[in-house]
Amino acid sequence: MVALAEEPRRTGRPRDPDVDRSILSAAQDLLVDEGYSGMTVAGVARAAGSSKAAIYRRWPGKIDLAVAAVRALASPAEVPDTGSLRDDLMTAAMHYARADERLARVLASLLTEFGRNPTLYEAAREAIGGPPFAAIVAVIERGIERGTVAPSAPVALIASIVPSVAFGRVSIQRQALDPATVRELVDRVLLPALTAAPAAT
């Protein structure tokens, strides 16, 4: 199974999970209320009743803190193996329908910054967007190996369809995809594209 990468293990005194949750919750609140540009480490420390030093011991900087705040709300991404291409695609794609309103609003605050902050974009893409996208890619590549997907299928392009729609929905409406839309995307877009014969040149 593919899951969100865990943060590096740190040595020294064990971290207090209650402090971690308080800091991340405060960061989430400020991202929603002030946006990424308005969220500061000092502001998070005040809201969490903590200190900047305590935050920096856990996360090296603002970008790391913001990404961790989103990750704390996201569900793990897994690679299913039901034996059915459709069911595997559906299960992997439903990751994007499991986000609640709070996650959608927090994530939206980061998406608006991506064009201005390539470092934030890369960090978020690797830690947040990478695992669920990789899960869909893995399902499609296994389908090619099993002969249920056309070998000529553009894997990365097709795998990006659901994430693209999901992030577009979050950016514009600040809402996650609903299960019905995911089913429509899988049945009417992904499956036909994966099993279609290549067009004649």
Side-chain angles (χ1 to χ4, degrees):
M1 294 190 299
V2 175
L4 290 172
E6 295 183 357
E7 295 184 39
R9 184 174 298 175
R10 296 170 173 82
T11 59
R13 185 174 61 185
R15 286 172 23 173
D16 184 340
D18 290 334
V19 174
D20 288 9
R21 283 190 290 270
S22 179
I23 292 171
L24 293 175
S25 179
Q28 293 158 7
D29 290 339
L30 286 176
L31 283 169
V32 171
D33 295 338
E34 306 292 339
Y36 177 80
S37 60
M39 186 200 84
T40 65
V41 173
V44 171
R46 285 194 300 271
S50 185
S51 66
K52 291 198 296 182
I55 293 175
Y56 285 125
R57 281 197 299 269
R58 291 163 167 80
W59 300 283
K62 177 178 174 178
I63 287 177
D64 306 276
L65 175 59
V67 170
V70 177
R71 283 164 51 100
L73 294 171
S75 59
E78 301 179 352
V79 181
D81 188 1
T82 65
S84 162
L85 173 63
R86 179 187 183 275
D87 291 345
D88 287 348
L89 285 172
M90 199 71 72
T91 301
M94 280 296 174
H95 171 88
Y96 295 94
R98 292 199 292 268
D100 59 18
E101 180 181 354
R102 181 173 176 81
L103 173 57
R105 296 182 66 189
V106 172
L107 184 57
S109 71
L110 294 191
L111 293 177
T112 58
E113 292 291 323
F114 284 170
R116 297 187 289 267
N117 193 327
T119 304
L120 173 64
Y121 167 77
E122 286 300 325
R125 183 187 63 80
E126 180 178 352
I128 301 167
F133 172 75
I136 298 176
V137 168
V139 167
I140 295 173
E141 289 180 339
R142 190 173 59 218
I144 293 175
E145 294 173 359
R146 293 176 175 175
T148 55
V149 174
S152 59
V155 176
L157 177 62
I158 296 173
S160 70
I161 292 172
V162 175
S164 297
V165 175
F167 287 120
R169 177 79 63 89
V170 167
S171 298
I172 298 172
Q173 302 179 15
R174 299 200 168 202
Q175 295 177 353
L177 282 183
D178 57 277
T181 299
V182 172
R183 285 191 290 271
E184 288 287 300
L185 286 170
V186 170
D187 286 336
R188 296 181 178 272
V189 182
L190 270 64
L191 278 174
L194 290 171
T195 57
T201 57

